[in-house]
Amino acid sequence: MIKFGTDRQTIHDLNIFPESKGVRSIFDIYNSTTTKGGREKLEQMMRIPLTNADDINARLSSLKFICDNEIYCALDKDYLDFIEYYLNQNTPVLRDNLFDSLVARISYLIKPENEYYIIQRGLEYIKNHLLILSDFLNDISTVDRPDFFNRLSEEIESIKSEPELGQLMKQDKDSFTFRQINYFDFIIRKKSKETIRRVLRLSYELDAYLSVAYVSKKRNFGFPELAKASPVYLKINGLFHPFLTSPIKNDFNILDGKNLCFVSGANMAGKSTFLKTVGLCVYLAHLGFPVPADEMKVSMFNGLYSTINISDDINRGFSHYYSEVRRVKEIALMIKEKKNVMVIFDELFRGTNVKDAFDATLMVAKGFSEIKNSLFFISTHIVEVGRELEKLNSVDFKCFESYLRGAKAVYNYKLANGISTERLGLTILRSEKVMEIIDEIVAKQKNALSLQE
C-alpha cells in the first residue's frame, strides 16, 4: 500500500499542529479528548493520512454513527491513567495462593506499602472501566453498527466469557478481598495484560472518535466522499476556514478533465486563505475526518504538497527565489514517486523580478497541466500568466474580486470564475498615507539643513 505523502512545509502551511505556545492549530480545534491516551491517539491519526478507501470510509462511518446517534461515553481520565500506571509497574506479581494472599494482606495492614495499594486500586479501576464500556455498548444500537464498535464489543464480551478474567466484572462489591487481590493481579499481570492493553487502546481510539465527532457536529462540519477516480476531481460546497469567526462560505469545483486551477485576485482578497482551506479539506478527508464545508466530493490522492509560507534559508545561503525553485523540484520528484498528488503554490516565484517570475510561472504551470492524474492550484499576481494559460483546455480560472469605494479597497471574499484584473497595490499604499509620512520626514530634514546653512 502506498503511504500518503506530505512534508513539514505542508503541515506548517496548513497549521495542522501547534508549532509554538499560543499559536492556533487544526489539531487544537479537533481535540476535546478527555484522556492522555486519547489525545495521543488523535495526534497519531492526524499525522497519518490514509490512501485506502476502505480505511477512510470505516473511520468516517464510525464518526457519522456517533454524530447521528448522539453517542456519549463518560471515560474517566483518572481510571485510565491509574490503570496504565498499574500495568507498567515493575513490582513482582502477587502469588495466587491463600497463604501468600494472607501474608501480603497482613503485611500491608501492619506496614502499608504503596505497591500493594497500587495493585488494589488498579484492579478496582480496571473493573470499573470494563463495566463503563459494557454499559456503554449495551446502550447503543447494534443496527448497522460500524466495525470499530463491533471490535470493542467483541473484546468486552470475550473478557466476560473468560473463566478467570470474567470473574473480575462479576464482583458486586466496590473493593476486593485479600484473596481476590492476589488472584486477579496474577491473572491480569501474568496472563491477561495484553488483553487489558487492547481494551485500553480501543478506549483511547473511542475517546479520539468522540472528540472529532463532537467538534464536527458543534461546528457543522460536513462528511466528505472519496473515491479512486480518473480524471481527478474536487467539488466542495459551503467551504470555510475554521479559524475564521464569521467566515464567508464558498462553493468550488474543478471537474471535466481540468487539473490546474489558476487563482487570481488583489492582495488581501482571500487567495491564500482559500488555498489553505482547500488543502486542509483534502488533508482532513484523507484522515477520514469531517471537513469545514457543507459537503465535499474528491478523488483520492497519494499525497498533498503546498508552498504557501516559504522563505529564504539564510543558514544554507539560499535566496528566496532559489528556495522556491528547489521546492518546485522537490514536489516534481514527489509527483514522480507518488504518481497521483495534489499540489498548491501560492504566489509562485515571488522572489524574483517580474519578467523571470512570468516566464517561470508560465513554464511550470504549462508543465503541470500536462500531468493529468494530479491536481494543481497556482495563485499569482501576474495575471498575464493567466491570459497565456487560457489557451489550454485543462486549466480552470477562479478569482477573488474587489473594488474601490472612494479611496478604500473593498473585498467580498467570494470566489468567482475568471481572471481578476484588479490592481490595488498603489491604492492600499496611498490609503495608508505612507508617502505623506515619507514627505514629512524629507521636509523636516530639508528645513534642518537650511537652518544650519
Side-chain angles (χ1 to χ4, degrees):
M1 184 186 301
I2 297 176
K3 181 181 177 181
F4 190 92
T6 191
D7 58 13
R8 184 180 299 177
Q9 176 68 48
T10 304
I11 299 300
H12 169 73
D13 286 342
L14 303 182
N15 304 111
I16 301 297
F17 296 104
E19 298 188 1
S20 60
K21 190 174 181 180
V23 176
R24 300 180 71 187
S25 74
I26 301 302
F27 174 80
D28 294 328
I29 286 178
Y30 281 94
N31 180 34
S32 64
T33 54
T34 58
T35 68
K36 178 184 176 184
R39 185 187 189 283
E40 291 173 350
K41 180 61 180 178
L42 177 61
E43 181 176 349
Q44 179 191 53
M45 291 164 64
M46 292 188 68
R47 289 192 182 278
I48 308 175
L50 307 170
T51 57
N52 182 282
D54 291 338
D55 293 339
I56 292 172
N57 289 326
R59 188 173 288 173
L60 284 169
S61 67
S62 295
L63 294 169
K64 195 170 191 307
F65 183 78
I66 294 170
C67 289
D68 291 346
N69 294 278
E70 298 185 348
I71 290 173
Y72 173 75
C73 181
L75 296 172
D76 192 302
K77 175 183 181 299
D78 294 333
Y79 283 2
L80 290 164
D81 286 350
F82 204 98
I83 292 169
E84 289 280 8
Y85 187 73
Y86 160 64
L87 293 177
N88 290 330
Q89 67 171 340
N90 294 319
T91 56
V93 176
L94 296 180
R95 296 178 180 179
D96 178 25
N97 61 73
L98 179 60
F99 176 75
D100 285 302
S101 300
L102 185 59
V103 169
R105 185 62 179 176
I106 292 173
S107 298
Y108 178 70
L109 292 174
I110 295 173
K111 185 180 180 181
E113 295 285 344
N114 192 49
E115 290 81 1
Y116 192 83
Y117 169 81
I118 292 170
I119 293 171
Q120 178 182 352
R121 187 66 67 190
L123 294 173
E124 292 171 2
Y125 283 177
I126 288 175
K127 183 194 78 170
N128 291 341
H129 182 62
L130 292 174
L131 290 174
I132 287 173
L133 292 178
S134 179
D135 292 342
F136 163 72
L137 291 165
N138 288 335
D139 288 342
I140 65 175
S141 172
T142 59
V143 178
D144 297 325
R145 191 163 65 178
D147 178 66
F148 167 76
F149 293 95
N150 291 330
R151 286 190 286 119
L152 180 58
S153 179
E154 287 168 5
E155 286 290 349
I156 299 301
E157 293 303 316
S158 176
I159 290 173
K160 286 182 180 179
S161 64
E162 285 186 13
E164 297 174 322
L165 191 58
Q167 296 179 45
L168 182 71
M169 297 178 65
K170 297 175 183 177
Q171 301 303 312
D172 295 331
K173 297 181 179 179
D174 292 335
S175 59
F176 295 103
T177 66
F178 71 90
R179 182 70 188 91
Q180 289 171 332
I181 291 172
N182 276 53
Y183 174 73
F184 287 124
D185 182 58
F186 178 82
I187 294 302
I188 288 176
R189 289 205 287 157
K190 196 74 174 178
K191 295 183 176 182
S192 303
K193 184 183 287 189
E194 183 52 36
T195 298
I196 301 302
R197 289 200 183 281
R198 282 200 305 272
V199 172
L200 291 179
R201 287 194 291 268
L202 288 170
S203 300
Y204 298 142
E205 190 171 353
L206 174 62
D207 190 17
Y209 281 155
L210 291 170
S211 173
V212 174
Y214 167 77
V215 170
S216 300
K217 189 163 186 176
K218 181 180 178 182
R219 289 175 168 263
N220 294 315
F221 288 177
F223 284 83
E225 297 178 23
L226 297 91
K228 289 285 186 184
S230 182
V232 293
Y233 66 90
L234 174 61
K235 181 177 181 180
I236 313 179
N237 291 334
L239 176 74
F240 64 97
H241 198 286
F243 286 177
L244 301 178
T245 53
S246 301
I248 304 296
K249 291 188 175 184
N250 276 292
D251 297 339
F252 169 79
N253 67 71
I254 182 163
L255 309 164
D256 304 323
K258 297 184 184 298
N259 74 317
L260 191 149
C261 181
F262 182 87
V263 184
S264 58
N267 276 321
M268 302 190 296
K271 301 189 302 300
S272 296
T273 300
F274 167 71
L275 293 176
K276 285 183 178 183
T277 311
V278 170
L280 175 61
C281 283
V282 171
Y283 187 92
L284 292 170
H286 284 78
L287 295 178
F289 282 16
V291 301
D294 296 336
E295 59 180 359
M296 175 182 183
K297 295 181 179 180
V298 61
S299 54
M300 291 184 61
F301 296 100
N302 294 329
L304 169 66
Y305 299 93
S306 69
T307 304
I308 297 175
N309 297 312
I310 199 168
S311 60
D312 51 4
D313 192 333
I314 296 174
N315 292 327
R316 299 177 68 182
F318 294 165
S319 68
H320 188 99
Y321 176 68
Y322 187 61
S323 296
E324 289 179 305
V325 172
R326 283 177 59 88
R327 181 63 177 164
V328 173
K329 179 182 177 180
E330 288 172 1
I331 291 175
L333 291 172
M334 288 298 102
I335 297 170
K336 185 178 180 181
E337 176 187 343
K338 298 293 182 180
K339 312 298 183 188
N340 164 232
V341 303
M342 177 171 158
V343 176
I344 298 171
F345 288 110
D346 186 25
E347 299 295 344
L348 189 59
F349 300 127
R350 72 184 92 172
T352 188
N353 64 77
V354 175
K355 178 64 170 65
D356 282 349
F358 171 85
D359 292 337
T361 302
L362 182 59
M363 185 186 303
V364 169
K366 281 184 174 180
F368 282 150
S369 71
E370 296 296 322
I371 304 175
K372 301 302 182 183
N373 59 348
S374 292
L375 183 59
F376 302 89
F377 288 77
I378 294 178
S379 77
T380 180
H381 282 105
I382 310 172
V383 296
E384 291 79 7
V385 174
R387 299 304 177 198
E388 291 294 320
L389 293 176
E390 283 182 308
K391 303 169 186 177
L392 305 178
N393 294 326
S394 57
V395 181
D396 197 13
F397 298 91
K398 302 294 181 183
C399 67
F400 285 89
E401 297 176 332
S402 53
Y403 62 93
L404 291 175
R405 181 181 293 158
K408 184 178 180 181
V410 178
Y411 312 97
N412 62 15
Y413 305 110
K414 294 297 291 183
L415 191 67
N417 294 318
I419 301 173
S420 172
T421 57
E422 294 289 349
R423 299 180 183 272
L424 302 179
L426 285 178
T427 301
I428 296 171
L429 185 71
R430 292 188 181 107
S431 67
E432 292 297 319
K433 301 186 183 301
V434 174
M435 292 311 300
E436 283 85 341
I437 297 171
I438 294 173
D439 290 343
E440 184 180 347
I441 295 169
V442 172
K444 284 183 178 180
Q445 289 182 344
K446 288 181 177 178
N447 289 335
L449 287 172
S450 63
L451 289 174
Q452 291 175 4
E453 293 175 354

